[in-house]
Amino acid sequence: MTGKINILYIGRHPEITETVNRLLNNNDEWHGLCTTLDHEAQALFKAHNITIVLLGNGISKEEESELRSFFAEYNPAAKIVQHYGGGSGLLKSEIYMALNSNT
């Protein structure tokens, strides 16, 4: 995966997760890793140098808080972005905004 940006997507809806996976991996610059399970997301996060985490629909506030804490502990430089859908244009925009932000 040399040169590709690793992006982790976590959502609760399998069909949406599958679509996001396809969209991420259709971009030559990105390597998408997608799951509906928090423990699997944590394992993927540990196993790959994740640059951006996308939090999708269906994640409770408590689950989100736990995930954010986990990601911050293991890689505080990773960008965390809320992604609630809206098509491939919005997804690309969110990713490029995260890549260009300094926080």
Side-chain angles (χ1 to χ4, degrees):
M1 295 300 139
T2 303
K4 290 196 177 194
I5 297 165
N6 289 325
I7 302 170
L8 175 62
Y9 173 83
I10 309 152
R12 296 296 185 245
H13 304 288
E15 298 83 12
I16 294 171
T17 301
E18 184 178 311
T19 299
V20 171
N21 187 55
R22 181 177 43 79
L23 292 171
L24 291 174
N25 288 300
N26 279 341
N27 186 311
D28 292 337
E29 299 174 4
W30 304 338
H31 176 230
L33 301 146
C34 302
T35 183
T36 58
L37 305 172
D38 292 353
H39 71 276
E40 190 172 285
Q42 291 170 339
L44 289 167
F45 192 82
K46 284 181 170 181
H48 300 273
N49 183 22
I50 301 295
T51 302
I52 298 173
V53 176
L54 299 170
L55 300 175
N57 284 334
I59 298 172
S60 72
K61 293 284 185 198
E62 181 179 312
E63 291 165 335
E64 179 181 337
S65 178
E66 290 173 12
L67 286 167
R68 284 180 179 272
S69 294
F70 175 86
F71 298 139
E73 179 180 335
Y74 280 93
N75 180 4
K79 310 285 183 173
I80 301 173
V81 177
Q82 296 291 135
H83 176 73
Y84 295 123
S88 62
L90 179 59
L91 178 66
K92 286 180 184 179
S93 177
E94 289 170 340
I95 290 169
Y96 287 125
M97 286 176 59
L99 289 172
N100 293 318
S101 74
N102 293 326
T103 58

